[in-house]
Amino acid sequence: MSYAKFAVAPVVRTTTGIIRASQRVRCRSTTVASRRSPEEREQQQDGGCGVVEAEPVEVISQSRSSANPDPLEKIHIDFDNTREAYRSKNSLELLRSLLVFKLCTVDLLVDKNKELMELSKKLLGQWMFEKLMKMTFYGQFVAGEDHHAIKPLIRKNQAFGVGAVLDYSVEEDLTQEEAEKKEMDSCISEAEKESPGSDHREKKYKAHRQFGDRRGGVISARTYFYADEAKCDIQMETFLNCIKASGGASSDGFSAIKLTALGRPQFLLQFSEVLVKWRRFFNFLAAQQGKSEMTVLEQKLELEQLKENMTELGIGAKDDLENWFTGEKLGLSGTIDLLDWNSLIDDTTKISNLLMVPNLQEEFHNACTGHLEPLLNKFTAEEERQMKRMLQRVDVLAKHAVENGVRLMVDAEQTYFQPAISRLTLEMQRKFNREKPIIFNTYQCYLKEAYDNVTLDVELSRREGWYFGAKLVRGAYMYQERARACEIGYEDPINPDYEATNRMYHKCLEYVLEEIEHSRKANVMVATHNEDTVKFTLEKMNDMGLCPTENKVYFGQLLGMCDQISFPLGQAGFPVYKYVPYGPVNEVIPYLSRRAQENRGVMKGSQRERSLLWKELRRRLVEGQIFYTPQY
């Protein structure tokens, strides 16, 4: 399926001290056990960097089907061993970490960090200001100014078993008023401007000025605002350079992109609304067959009854319905599930024709008009071209990722954009993940629907035979999402509390791990700083016989955070990656501002990382290694 003709259909288809093992090639995994106190467990949050303690366990065999697998050597990963955890850091780097983490606990500095940085720039001058930033916050959280400057850090991390997910972190430093204006201009169609309120739009999927600045309440995700098509082309070139840099720096790197950087967000809003309405229509039809209480994959609609229901509702003529449900795969079993439903609409070049939705409100009141209705009363030729350009940019990036041997992480965004983002990412996976996992979708596990989304996409990958790739995160937009839902008046999409999100994360993760165990065609990045989740993953890998050297399960953390978990895992043979931001000092200040805010909560909630840093500095001082230099 080419992206010029993309069907935006409403229902679309070792080190010493860490490892003690024999020199024979073995498949290794580790079960971890916590030694923390109950009080420390209560303090642990997703951003927390508590250290994982691992107990020696019997290592699993490479083949679960072997009748008499040989006993394997045990492995012990000691996350309390600061000598090994900080082998990649010199003492000045440890001191810098201590200083930065301490500053992040001072409320005044964090709350006024942008103003203080601007004042420092005026007082010190540009040159001295950049020097100061590189000695502190910039040096802690950012790899360098461009793709040439970041290579030494990437090479060093690789030498200690840690890879890179490159992320060009430059953002516009807009005022709130400027951000709101840009958002409203780019999210409202010509039809809405001419006749406000005349279209069949839901308020969740419409722009609202009070939430126009999408940076509000978000501390761990960068934000793009649409200016024009030329700016989107520039941002695509930036992503291309990032992909090339990742390919040149390593043979197994990742690069991160955001779809809101690649086109007008109006399209993402509209397409998301269409997808949600058609899924809701499927649920409505399932309820008519008495199957509303089933899980999403268990809902299999009887084909003949489905045709009758749709005919009664006036959704398509009888001949049209016969054509819809006729095909090599559809209807052979006499039932239709949601994945079958998503494949019913044919490809078409005129995207706007596919932004059609059933009038659900009228249907539910038994007063259906008998027709599918357009989401918008008017759709201009320029809006059509803008949609296609976004799809073409996505296609260009995916092709370059393949050519450069780089895997592409598509970041998750707000729930009013996410259905469209996930659908576009899924289409990329269907096209580019045929031989190996290239495209990875991101699933936010603080969402109530996260498990349904994961299971549906895994099932589609099974049926079509491509490699499923997922990054699991808890989520970055909780406060903003809840405030928006409450004020505008729609259901809160977020799980009720942190523990519910933890359960959702582990449920989604276990499902993907079971799929890996079953087929070895699924892949997952466990993107978290949460100690309990890291332990959970290692335990499940051991139970299921998943070998870290198979490179099916990855771990991910942010550069400058949680090193005492990342590096021991990497040196023990587990695939671990740091999200590596880069960009000029002045242009990554918004990113650094968020890192300061994020670390405030982390450092106040846990003293573990700072205590380990002090422990290592004291050890080096006592043993005469205060001038230690990493060897690699």
Side-chain angles (χ1 to χ4, degrees), residues 120-383:
S120 299
K121 192 188 303 183
K122 291 178 182 178
L123 294 176
L124 299 174
Q126 184 65 34
W127 186 84
M128 279 298 298
F129 171 74
E130 291 190 6
K131 278 287 185 185
L132 177 63
M133 292 302 293
K134 288 180 178 179
M135 292 170 61
T136 53
F137 288 91
Y138 183 94
Q140 181 71 16
F141 299 120
V142 183
E145 299 208 29
D146 55 41
H147 60 275
H148 295 296
I150 66 178
K151 287 183 179 179
L153 176 67
I154 291 175
R155 282 196 295 267
K156 183 176 80 166
N157 283 355
Q158 284 178 331
F160 293 96
V162 177
V165 180
L166 294 192
D167 186 7
Y168 191 68
S169 295
V170 169
E171 301 177 22
E172 289 183 281
D173 195 9
L174 302 173
T175 66
Q176 181 177 337
E177 292 74 19
E178 290 171 334
E180 289 174 353
K181 184 179 187 307
K182 284 196 170 189
E183 187 74 352
M184 298 304 293
D185 290 345
S186 62
C187 287
I188 298 178
S189 68
E190 290 301 318
E192 290 173 297
K193 291 176 183 177
E194 291 179 5
S195 305
S198 64
D199 292 306
H200 304 282
R201 302 295 308 281
E202 291 189 12
K203 49 193 174 183
K204 177 177 180 178
Y205 299 100
K206 297 179 73 171
H208 299 268
R209 183 170 293 277
Q210 65 268 43
F211 294 99
D213 186 355
R214 288 182 276 113
R215 301 167 299 182
V218 179
I219 61 173
S220 57
R222 67 197 187 287
T223 305
Y224 292 94
F225 292 94
Y226 180 85
D228 51 40
E229 293 299 294
K231 183 66 177 292
C232 292
D233 286 335
I234 292 171
Q235 288 167 170
M236 181 187 71
E237 288 297 325
T238 298
F239 289 143
L240 288 174
N241 291 332
C242 192
I243 290 169
K244 292 173 185 175
S246 184
S250 67
S251 60
D252 61 348
F254 285 89
S255 189
I257 66 170
K258 275 204 165 186
L259 292 198
T260 49
L262 299 174
R264 188 178 180 121
Q266 169 197 336
F267 168 52
L268 296 176
L269 280 173
Q270 293 166 348
F271 188 28
S272 291
E273 182 173 357
V274 167
L275 291 169
V276 168
K277 283 186 173 181
W278 276 93
R279 183 163 174 174
R280 194 181 299 154
F281 183 44
F282 178 86
N283 293 337
F284 168 73
L285 294 170
Q288 287 199 324
Q289 297 194 16
K291 299 179 180 181
S292 59
E293 299 302 317
M294 296 181 179
T295 66
V296 67
L297 285 176
E298 291 174 342
Q299 290 177 331
K300 296 183 183 296
L301 307 187
E302 298 299 326
L303 187 55
E304 292 306 316
Q305 186 178 344
L306 175 62
K307 291 177 184 178
E308 292 177 7
N309 293 150
M310 293 183 71
T311 302
E312 292 171 1
L313 291 169
I315 305 298
K318 187 174 182 180
D319 290 343
D320 291 335
L321 293 177
E322 288 294 334
N323 291 332
W324 275 9
F325 297 115
T326 300
E328 184 178 342
K329 297 179 181 178
L330 291 179
L332 294 181
S333 65
T335 60
I336 293 288
D337 65 11
L338 184 57
L339 292 177
D340 298 323
W341 178 260
N342 286 348
S343 69
L344 293 178
I345 303 298
D346 292 334
D347 296 355
T348 179
T349 56
K350 192 157 183 61
I351 297 169
S352 57
N353 285 350
L354 293 170
L355 294 180
M356 302 284 290
V357 294
N359 191 326
L360 291 178
Q361 288 187 346
E362 292 187 8
E363 288 161 10
F364 292 143
H365 289 88
N366 297 315
C368 180
T369 62
H371 300 284
L372 297 179
E373 299 178 345
L375 190 68
L376 298 172
N377 289 332
K378 178 181 177 183
F379 205 80
T380 68
E382 177 57 26
E383 287 171 332

Side-chain angles (χ1 to χ4, degrees), residues 538-549:
L538 297 176
E539 289 166 356
K540 290 299 178 183
M541 288 180 70
N542 187 70
D543 293 342
M544 296 177 180
L546 301 181
C547 174
T549 56

Side-chain angles (χ1 to χ4, degrees), residues 402-632:
V402 172
E403 291 168 4
N404 287 271
V406 174
R407 289 161 292 185
L408 209 56
M409 292 275 193
V410 181
D411 285 347
E413 305 193 44
Q414 286 88 348
T415 53
Y416 43 90
F417 292 141
Q418 193 55 41
I421 291 170
S422 289
R423 184 69 250 174
L424 297 179
T425 305
L426 196 64
E427 288 299 327
M428 283 197 288
Q429 290 181 314
R430 298 171 80 179
K431 181 176 181 179
F432 295 102
N433 285 14
R434 288 292 171 182
E435 297 180 1
K436 59 182 178 180
I438 296 291
I439 310 299
F440 281 65
N441 198 4
T442 300
Y443 297 88
Q444 301 175 102
C445 294
Y446 66 9
L447 296 180
K448 297 173 183 176
E449 63 179 19
Y451 184 73
D452 283 349
N453 293 336
V454 169
T455 55
L456 276 171
D457 292 353
V458 168
E459 176 61 24
L460 184 64
S461 73
R462 284 187 200 133
R463 293 186 186 183
E464 298 184 345
W466 44 267
Y467 285 81
F468 177 78
K471 179 179 71 171
L472 298 183
V473 300
R474 278 171 173 77
Y477 306 98
M478 181 179 71
Y479 300 111
Q480 183 187 108
E481 292 275 13
R482 282 197 164 139
R484 190 178 190 270
C486 179
E487 184 167 337
I488 295 174
Y490 56 87
E491 182 184 354
D492 183 356
I494 308 296
N495 285 317
D497 53 40
Y498 183 77
E499 286 308 313
T501 293
N502 274 347
R503 290 191 296 273
M504 179 67 77
Y505 193 108
H506 290 182
K507 185 179 181 181
C508 292
L509 175 57
E510 187 168 13
Y511 186 87
V512 179
L513 291 174
E514 288 172 352
E515 179 65 14
I516 296 172
E517 180 189 21
H518 171 70
S519 72
R520 294 303 200 268
K521 293 194 76 171
N523 301 262
V524 64
M525 174 170 280
V526 184
T528 182
H529 295 166
N530 186 290
E531 174 188 344
D532 292 328
T533 298
V534 173
K535 294 192 301 179
F536 176 86
T537 308
L538 297 176
E539 289 166 356
K540 290 299 178 183
M541 288 180 70
N542 187 70
D543 293 342
M544 296 177 180
L546 301 181
C547 174
T549 56
E550 290 183 73
N551 289 326
K552 296 294 184 184
V553 182
Y554 319 98
F555 295 88
Q557 290 90 35
L558 293 168
L559 183 70
M561 298 175 66
C562 230
D563 287 349
Q564 76 279 18
I565 290 181
S566 305
F567 284 91
L569 282 173
Q571 293 171 58
F574 291 87
V576 183
Y577 292 83
K578 287 289 191 183
Y579 254 69
V580 177
Y582 68 98
V585 175
N586 281 330
E587 297 181 50
V588 298
I589 284 177
Y591 175 84
L592 294 174
S593 175
R594 291 198 307 273
R595 289 287 74 75
Q597 294 177 55
E598 185 171 3
N599 275 285
R600 168 167 56 184
V602 171
M603 292 303 137
K604 283 187 173 182
S606 173
Q607 299 293 319
R608 183 69 170 179
E609 187 166 6
R610 279 190 287 168
S611 68
L612 287 168
L613 288 165
W614 277 121
K615 178 181 175 182
E616 175 59 12
L617 281 171
R618 287 193 297 268
R619 185 198 66 78
R620 291 183 184 183
L621 184 63
V622 169
E623 296 182 10
Q625 296 181 357
I626 198 64
F627 298 107
Y628 166 79
T629 301
Q631 301 297 318
Y632 58 95

Side-chain angles (χ1 to χ4, degrees), residues 12-72:
V12 271
R13 316 218 197 226
T14 240
T15 44
T16 55
I18 293 276
I19 301 174
R20 301 183 184 92
S22 73
Q23 293 184 352
R24 292 175 292 170
V25 177
R26 298 292 186 186
C27 178
R28 302 171 300 179
S29 186
T30 307
T31 301
V32 289
S34 174
R35 297 175 190 151
R36 292 179 300 152
S37 67
E39 291 78 12
E40 286 176 305
R41 285 196 181 95
E42 290 176 3
Q43 291 176 344
Q44 180 70 26
Q45 295 290 316
D46 185 41
C49 292
V51 173
V52 181
E53 287 88 10
E55 296 288 329
V57 295
E58 183 166 337
V59 189
I60 47 86
S61 65
Q62 290 192 11
S63 174
R64 299 286 305 264
S65 61
S66 175
N68 296 296
D70 294 332
L72 299 181

